[in-house]
Amino acid sequence: QVQLVESGGGLVQAGGSLRLSCAASGRSVSSNAMGWFRQSPGKEREFVAVISGSGGTTRYADSVKGRFTISRDNAKNTVYLQMNSLKPEDTAIYYCAAQRIPYYTLSSRDTDFHSWGQGTQVAVSS
């Protein structure tokens, strides 16, 4: 089983940047597409970004496209989410998860993912 631990969250002003990390342990996740999701109080968990196992293909939610960048370092078994031009509406707990394998397309549905981390809080002040 894989364990995922997110880090890098914090409080930042609007327009600022944060870089989230998702460290995997237990086994390599190089065969898994890896995704980031977020959840705000009173809202359902929503898709943010996903990256293929090789890192060559990515997919983003429209709300973060052009501002967020997902990447991975398979040698470190770690996935990243670089968040720029942050907005107050980006405030949420951010989670990473591994897409079930085998996969044929990158998914944005949380039901296609497993091994959720505990999340890291991101707060953006206006």
Side-chain angles (χ1 to χ4, degrees):
Q1 273 289 10
V2 63
Q3 292 80 43
L4 302 175
V5 177
E6 302 92 338
S7 62
L11 174 64
V12 63
Q13 288 188 331
S17 299
L18 283 174
R19 188 195 196 202
L20 306 184
S21 298
C22 171
S25 61
R27 67 164 177 83
S28 170
V29 293
S30 61
S31 297
N32 295 86
M34 297 294 294
W36 284 97
F37 291 77
R38 66 188 182 187
Q39 188 167 21
S40 305
K43 294 186 178 181
E44 293 188 352
R45 186 163 55 192
E46 65 172 349
F47 166 75
V48 175
V50 61
I51 187 168
S52 63
S54 67
T57 305
T58 57
R59 180 179 174 185
Y60 296 90
D62 288 343
S63 59
V64 306
K65 203 172 293 182
R67 300 187 298 122
F68 291 11
T69 302
I70 189 171
S71 62
R72 66 190 300 161
D73 184 338
N74 285 338
K76 295 183 178 180
N77 221 21
T78 300
V79 181
Y80 305 97
L81 186 68
Q82 177 67 44
M83 305 187 297
N84 299 328
S85 302
L86 282 161
K87 304 175 181 180
E89 51 263 45
D90 295 318
T91 295
I93 300 175
Y94 284 70
Y95 301 90
C96 68
Q99 186 170 340
R100 303 182 194 280
I101 53 175
Y103 68 93
Y104 304 101
T105 60
L106 298 181
S107 177
S108 61
R109 301 186 306 176
D110 60 358
T111 53
D112 289 334
F113 290 79
H114 66 88
S115 301
W116 295 84
Q118 84 292 343
T120 186
Q121 175 73 56
V122 171
V124 184
S125 63
S126 57

